[in-house]
Amino acid sequence: MSHDRDRFQELLEGALEREPEARVRYLLEACPEDPELRTAVERALAAEAESGPFDRLFEVFGADAPGHGEEGTAAGSRLGPFRIERLLGRGGMGSVFLARRVDGQFDQTVAIKILRADATGEEPQRHFLAERQILARLSHPNIARLFGGGVTAADRPYLVMEFVDGTPLDRYCDERRLDVSERLRLFLTVCDAVDHAHRHLVVHRDIKPGNIVVSDSGQVKLLDFGIAKLLDPDAFGQSGPSTRADLRLMTPEYASPEQVRGEPITTASDVYQLGVLLYELLAGRRPFSATGSLREWERAVCEDHPPRASAAVAGEDSRLKVGPVSLGVPSAARRSTGGGRTTGAGTTEVAAARSSTPQRLRRRLRGDLDNIVSKALRKQPSDRYSSIGALAADVRRHLEGLPVEARAPTVRYRLVRFVARHRAGVAFSAVLLLALVALAAISLRFAVVTAAQSRAVEREAARATQVTGFLLGLFEQSDPDRSAGDSLSARDLLDQGVERAEALSDRALRADMLAVIGRVFSKLGDYEQAGDLFRRAIGIQRGLGPDMRADLALNLADLGEVLWLRGDFDAARSTMMESLSLRRSLGDPGGTAANLNDLGRLAQDMSDFEGAEAYHREALQLRRRTLGEDSEEVSYSLVNLGKTVRDLGRLDEAESLFREALAIQERRLGADHTETLWTRVQLGRLLADTGRLDEAEPVLLEAARASRQRFGERHPLTAYALGELGKLFFDLGEYGKAETAYRDALAIRRAAFGPGHMYVAVNLNNLASVLLAGGRAAVAEPLVREALNISREALGDENVPTALFTANLGNALLQLGRRSEAEQRFRESLARLRWLLPPEHPHISRPLLGLGELLTLTARAEEARPLLEEALAIRRDAYGQDHWNVFEAESALGDCLFALGLAAEAEPLLLHGLEGLRARKRADDPTTRKASARLVRLYESRGDFALAARYR
């Protein structure tokens, strides 16, 4: 205790030696480790400035400190009809006591806040009276109420307030393991309370978890308006506290940049503090911490940009920060003061407190929630949400699956244009497609109209007449007499169609035609134009009332697919979710299943394999229930579910799903249908992945032949079949054939999707793998770097493709002799894949094997051994005993054991690995040659030169 007193005295005297404006900086730099002690010194300085010297050892040292008592407020003493029971807490100006009503009128437990005896200057009096006036004006179920007030016998004012017996917001959420949605709903309650204060011209200025208490029943209460600011003090009949005093009153970890800079405070400051609060509730840490020097803290708050909440969850420094540093007053009227707590919770614990895993939590925060928090935390007040209501509205939109206003307007992929000018024949085909789609839509409308909707029938008939005129008008444009002899391309006619559609007076028909033309542009690969047309159609339909919900849901689904194809995954998901919500409300099982299917495919592209599986299983169940076991739609869901469980490493289950789907499609669609070919390619790839190359080869060769015959040499499906055939040739060790197949597929994909698409990235990476297997690392390195750059641009760092491409770059660097760089890449890839995938997933074996081989080469075999043993176990479980991937891992582990001096254990692994590779790959294959050299080295080391020669 004496040590604490000495330290307090030292800090206080050091502060008094400095000018007032330099004292806060001095304290933060001199005492960063003890916020409570620093706060006590701050209060002593404030009181001394108002009242002169006094005994400085108080509060923080307990009851034995001089001057600790509160005259007339000991337990059992009376204040009006209330009896004091115990002290709840102290702040810079007031002490808060628990009290009970004892006048016999009724039972009531309250919190009484009394101005401190040592806060006798004009400024504390003014703040105290301002708090009374503020609380008297605020009447909201989520703000602690003011019951009354008075003056003690010692002429000190006091307030009688609602006593909230609860837990600080952050602790409440963590102790009950509330998920993200539940936390957002509590946050909206806080927003509602703060918004009420703003509408009464009050800025809270100290929003933090400790000032928000939640009862056991879930009732939220916003507390402590002790440093609140009146936006219009004259409206309350008093002047506000002085500016100089205002500058001291803040909690640094939650302070807005304008608070830190000493600028005028507006409601935007509370928006910022709510952003900090939301960040902490979601990510388990604050965006900034005031644990360093004041200069560092000021620079961080005013200049630095915090990591996104989703990135903060992933970071190694993702810790719940301890004890907030308060330069104002503590929370009052609650059982537990202060929201900060000491914790060593890491990423796993943070996710568990949100009923999640680190991987799922990052995915949940990525996108809309990251953007919402970032907008609230912008440095300039004018760049934040315009009000608390606007912030709350965006959070509500997110919870409802609707697009949010804070969505970042970036486009990750280069826009793909698949448009060529066509002559009269193709122009006619395009217009005919337009006519068929439009007339089909109108026919569907008539099919669902009942006799009770005769007026709707008449309306649709009129619209059909307009559609006929619309289409005939387009056909007339291709008349040589009208086009001056020039042949019109499909794009010409579509552009004219857009102009004619915009001129239609019937708004519903205008929306239909814009959407129909948008679908044609989407089929042509012009996703920018398609997206623009869908948005225009959707904008019209939103203003036409609930009768348009089915059409709106369809166009939202189409827009979501276009956004997905462009690589704008976050916007695609929000749009698809809105469509799904509409279709669920309409009771549309077919549309609902289609939405679920699209969301599953999108989730898979975003490496959310668990989410994808859930979507696909729900879609499959719905389609089976409504369409029967043998429908085409059921087969599509089976294929998509099979792809997902394959990526989750459950290969036997995936094969069963593919074969079931293929049987349905061959019966219902025929052997050469697009979907049948697609499923056949998926099955062939799976057979290759499980080591059954002899079974896979005829399946993939037939798929590639049929695709070429049906769709031609430049179709994306042909590229996909070629890519899978390239992988088969690679597994067979036929690298020349594999390279040719991959280069052909790459040319098709670049033409069809543009240079920045993920399909191009996958192809580049696969081609690089073939070149590496052939020992051509110098040619492979730039290809895999291009793939990695595309993936990072499209998906970011935290996804499976980026992690796999990173491992492959490690392979290239290792082959080039740049071992330090290679090790960094392997470790980076391994950390990400362990985070993103189940521990037994075969993808994880890639960086494990690369890193293990590198460590063995660099005389760190002891560290390499567990990595290589894990890689081998994963591959045996995933591929069986007879796959070349397993033989490769056996050889690598054998080499490691030999380096450790365990030749007897190493020999069977090296021998089995080499024989297996020779049976499945060529003798001159680099993997086979490396396995041979390892075994030869072992035999030569013990003098078995005959055996060495045999396996050389």
Side-chain angles (χ1 to χ4, degrees):
M1 185 69 67
S2 62
H3 173 75
D4 288 341
R5 293 183 182 182
D6 292 343
R7 178 67 172 144
F8 177 90
Q9 188 73 27
E10 175 189 347
L11 290 170
L12 184 57
E13 290 177 355
L16 289 171
E17 291 173 356
R18 289 162 171 79
E19 294 298 321
E21 60 271 17
R23 290 173 181 174
V24 175
R25 182 186 300 275
Y26 161 74
L27 288 174
L28 278 172
E29 293 178 346
C31 183
E33 76 288 345
D34 193 341
E36 292 184 358
L37 179 59
R38 193 168 68 239
T39 300
V41 177
E42 280 286 324
R43 286 198 293 266
L45 289 167
E48 188 165 55
E50 295 293 338
S51 308
F54 67 104
D55 190 340
R56 298 155 181 163
L57 300 177
F58 68 95
E59 184 177 337
V60 74
F61 302 113
D64 62 333
H68 179 79
E70 294 284 355
E71 179 185 353
T73 52
S77 60
R78 291 280 296 268
L79 271 180
F82 299 100
R83 182 180 64 224
I84 302 295
E85 294 204 342
R86 59 184 171 88
L87 177 70
L88 290 173
R90 287 189 176 87
M93 294 176 296
S95 299
V96 182
F97 299 86
L98 177 69
R100 294 188 185 278
R101 193 173 187 115
V102 292
D103 62 355
Q105 297 294 319
F106 52 86
D107 291 334
Q108 186 180 28
T109 301
V110 297
I112 297 180
K113 183 174 182 177
I114 307 174
L115 186 67
R116 293 175 59 93
D118 47 37
T120 57
E122 179 182 352
E123 204 62 48
Q125 292 272 358
R126 188 176 297 170
H127 269 290
F128 202 84
L129 293 175
E131 182 178 8
R132 182 180 66 186
Q133 293 289 354
I134 288 168
L135 290 174
R137 285 295 189 97
L138 299 179
S139 177
H140 190 276
N142 301 113
I143 295 178
R145 290 173 292 166
L146 176 71
F147 294 137
V151 179
T152 69
D155 290 327
R156 284 185 285 136
Y158 67 86
L159 307 176
V160 181
M161 300 179 293
E162 178 182 5
F163 171 63
V164 183
D165 190 6
T167 308
L169 176 64
D170 55 345
R171 202 170 76 214
Y172 178 90
C173 292
D174 287 352
E175 288 174 353
R176 288 160 178 77
R177 294 181 177 269
L178 300 189
D179 63 23
V180 169
S181 295
E182 291 168 322
R183 289 167 184 255
L184 291 175
R185 284 188 277 272
L186 283 177
F187 177 76
L188 285 173
T189 304
V190 178
C191 287
D192 193 40
V194 178
D195 187 53
H196 174 82
H198 286 188
R199 283 185 275 112
H200 288 77
L201 306 178
V202 174
V203 183
H204 190 282
R205 294 201 298 182
D206 199 22
I207 299 170
K208 57 187 177 183
N211 280 344
I212 303 159
V213 174
V214 189
S215 68
D216 290 341
S217 64
Q219 176 77 359
V220 175
K221 291 288 183 179
L222 177 63
L223 309 174
D224 204 341
F225 284 78
I227 66 169
K229 177 180 176 63
L230 305 176
L231 293 175
D232 185 6
D234 292 339
F236 290 85
Q238 67 176 73
S239 61
S242 70
T243 302
R244 182 187 63 79
D246 280 354
L247 297 181
R248 308 179 61 82
L249 301 175
M250 59 183 169
T251 302
E253 287 89 342
Y254 299 89
S256 65
E258 56 268 30
Q259 281 180 291
V260 172
R261 291 190 294 257
E263 296 171 353
I265 301 303
T266 67
T267 56
S269 186
D270 280 356
V271 171
Y272 181 92
Q273 292 189 346
L274 282 169
V276 179
L277 174 68
L278 182 57
Y279 192 110
E280 187 170 2
L281 289 176
L282 298 177
R285 56 162 287 181
R286 292 186 287 272
F288 303 109
S289 175
T291 56
S293 70
L294 179 61
R295 185 175 297 104
E296 292 171 350
W297 162 59
E298 287 178 342
R299 184 177 61 252
V301 173
C302 297
E303 299 176 17
D304 294 347
H305 293 281
R308 286 180 171 262
S310 60
V313 171
E316 293 182 359
D317 62 338
S318 189
R319 306 289 183 196
L320 288 166
K321 301 302 182 184
V322 300
V325 181
S326 179
L327 300 182
V329 297
S331 303
R334 63 176 180 271
R335 178 172 56 189
S336 174
T337 60
R341 60 198 184 281
T342 302
T343 174
T347 301
T348 302
E349 290 80 3
V350 167
R354 287 145 183 82
S355 295
S356 187
T357 64
Q359 178 186 356
R360 289 200 300 270
L361 180 58
R362 287 200 317 279
R363 290 197 301 263
R364 180 71 173 84
L365 303 187
R366 191 180 297 149
D368 285 352
L369 290 176
D370 273 342
N371 290 332
I372 289 171
V373 173
S374 296
K375 183 169 182 177
L377 291 177
R378 288 177 184 169
K379 304 300 181 186
Q380 294 302 319
S382 59
D383 292 337
R384 298 173 203 150
Y385 286 99
S386 60
S387 66
I388 302 297
L391 167 60
D394 240 8
V395 173
R396 288 191 179 93
R397 275 190 287 269
H398 170 77
L399 285 171
E400 294 168 3
L402 301 176
V404 301
E405 296 298 327
R407 181 192 304 160
T410 58
V411 178
R412 296 178 181 171
Y413 289 114
R414 295 186 181 183
L415 299 179
V416 179
R417 292 189 175 272
F418 193 33
V419 179
R421 297 186 65 83
H422 301 281
R423 295 300 174 183
V426 179
F428 178 82
S429 299
V431 175
L432 181 60
L433 174 61
L434 178 65
L436 290 174
V437 176
L439 291 174
I442 293 167
S443 298
L444 180 61
R445 287 179 179 274
F446 278 108
V448 299
V449 171
T450 67
Q453 297 170 310
S454 58
R455 291 183 182 177
V457 172
E458 294 174 3
R459 187 167 56 249
E460 294 298 341
R463 291 178 66 186
T465 300
Q466 289 179 290
V467 170
T468 302
F470 176 84
L471 294 172
L472 287 174
L474 280 185
F475 278 115
E476 288 174 355
Q477 296 303 312
S478 61
D479 186 334
D481 292 334
R482 290 179 175 252
S483 60
D486 293 332
S487 297
L488 296 178
S489 70
R491 179 59 184 261
D492 292 332
L493 288 176
L494 291 173
D495 288 342
Q496 291 178 11
V498 173
E499 293 178 8
R500 293 176 64 85
E502 290 286 15
L504 292 171
S505 58
D506 186 323
R507 295 175 65 202
L509 180 61
R510 190 192 317 156
D512 281 347
M513 292 300 98
L514 290 172
V516 166
I517 299 171
R519 291 183 189 100
V520 177
F521 273 115
S522 181
K523 292 290 184 182
L524 293 174
D526 190 344
Y527 301 127
E528 180 181 19
Q529 180 72 356
D532 179 64
L533 290 168
F534 285 135
R535 288 190 185 92
R536 285 150 72 179
I538 288 166
I540 294 170
Q541 290 168 336
R542 289 192 191 278
L544 294 178
D547 290 344
M548 300 301 296
R549 286 187 300 163
D551 293 333
L552 177 60
L554 174 62
N555 291 332
L556 284 166
D558 287 337
L559 176 59
E561 183 174 12
V562 165
L563 292 168
W564 170 32
L565 290 170
R566 286 172 48 186
D568 195 349
F569 291 164
D570 292 334
R573 184 180 183 280
S574 295
T575 306
M576 290 177 181
M577 287 298 294
E578 183 179 0
S579 178
L580 176 63
S581 177
L582 281 171
R583 281 172 163 166
R584 287 193 194 277
S585 69
L586 290 166
D588 175 9
T592 298
N595 280 127
L596 290 166
N597 182 70
D598 289 345
L599 283 163
R601 293 163 65 201
L602 174 62
Q604 191 162 1
D605 276 1
M606 297 175 72
S607 299
D608 179 7
F609 301 117
E610 294 171 354
E613 181 179 3
Y615 284 128
H616 287 315
R617 286 200 183 280
E618 185 179 354
L620 177 60
Q621 182 181 22
L622 186 57
R623 284 171 166 170
R624 277 177 163 159
R625 186 173 68 246
T626 57
L627 301 174
E629 294 285 343
D630 203 45
S631 72
E632 299 168 23
E633 288 79 3
V634 165
S635 74
Y636 305 153
S637 286
L638 287 167
V639 172
N640 288 325
L641 179 59
K643 290 170 59 183
T644 301
V645 299
R646 178 197 64 202
D647 287 342
L648 284 168
R650 288 150 37 202
L651 303 183
D652 290 342
E653 182 182 355
E655 181 180 352
S656 175
L657 291 165
F658 289 147
R659 291 192 182 279
E660 183 181 356
L662 190 59
I664 295 172
Q665 289 167 356
E666 287 177 341
R667 286 195 304 271
R668 298 296 301 271
L669 303 174
D672 290 335
H673 191 276
T674 304
E675 296 297 337
T676 309
L677 292 173
W678 173 259
T679 304
R680 194 173 289 127
V681 171
Q682 298 297 328
L683 177 60
R685 172 183 173 181
L686 184 75
L687 292 171
D689 283 346
T690 54
R692 289 174 285 173
L693 303 181
D694 292 341
E695 294 179 59
E697 185 171 6
V699 173
L700 290 173
L701 283 170
E702 172 58 22
R705 182 206 63 76
S707 181
R708 279 189 169 114
Q709 180 177 336
R710 177 159 187 166
F711 304 110
E713 294 287 344
R714 315 310 295 172
H715 194 278
L717 184 56
T718 301
Y720 188 83
L722 287 171
E724 296 306 319
L725 193 58
K727 186 176 186 302
L728 173 68
F729 289 139
F730 175 77
D731 289 346
L732 290 168
E734 298 180 17
Y735 298 135
K737 290 182 179 180
E739 182 179 350
T740 299
Y742 279 139
R743 288 194 183 278
D744 289 346
L746 180 60
I748 297 171
R749 283 174 165 166
R750 277 183 164 150
F753 301 110
H757 200 281
M758 275 303 298
Y759 291 160
V760 173
V762 171
N763 218 136
L764 285 165
N765 182 71
N766 291 340
L767 177 57
S769 296
V770 172
L771 295 171
L772 287 172
R776 298 157 64 191
V779 182
E781 184 193 3
L783 297 179
V784 74
R785 285 191 185 277
E786 183 181 353
L788 185 57
N789 290 337
I790 293 172
S791 185
R792 281 177 169 160
E793 177 66 21
L795 303 176
D797 284 332
E798 297 300 320
N799 67 87
V800 172
T802 299
L804 291 176
F805 299 164
T806 301
N808 214 22
L809 180 57
N811 290 328
L813 294 169
L814 179 59
Q815 199 173 113
L816 290 168
R818 290 148 63 182
R819 294 177 177 178
S820 177
E821 294 178 68
E823 180 175 350
Q824 180 183 352
R825 297 296 185 171
F826 286 135
R827 292 190 184 278
E828 181 183 341
S829 173
L830 180 60
R832 284 180 179 150
L833 289 175
R834 286 196 191 280
W835 191 276
L836 292 165
L837 295 172
E840 70 280 2
H841 198 287
H843 285 341
I844 295 175
S845 70
R846 299 188 195 182
L848 280 171
L849 188 72
L851 181 58
E853 289 184 323
L854 185 149
L855 292 172
T856 302
L857 283 172
T858 54
R860 289 176 284 171
E862 193 66 45
E863 186 182 352
R865 180 176 180 176
L867 302 178
L868 294 171
E869 288 175 340
E870 183 183 358
L872 178 58
I874 289 173
R875 290 187 172 188
R876 279 175 171 166
D877 185 58
Y879 302 122
Q881 182 57 55
D882 294 328
H883 196 281
W884 73 266
N885 274 308
V886 174
F887 300 134
E888 179 186 37
E890 286 179 340
S891 175
L893 177 58
D895 188 47
C896 175
L897 295 174
F898 175 64
L900 290 170
L902 304 172
E905 296 178 44
E907 183 179 1
L909 286 169
L910 289 169
L911 185 59
H912 190 261
L914 176 59
E915 290 177 344
L917 287 169
R918 281 183 169 178
R920 281 162 178 74
K921 288 184 174 288
R922 300 176 318 198
D924 63 344
D925 180 273
T927 306
T928 307
R929 290 202 309 270
K930 182 163 58 175
S932 174
R934 289 166 173 167
L935 185 60
V936 167
R937 189 162 57 247
L938 181 145
Y939 286 141
E940 287 180 341
S941 71
R942 69 186 191 193
D944 290 340
F945 296 107
L947 281 174
R950 175 181 175 185
Y951 290 105
R952 191 177 304 278

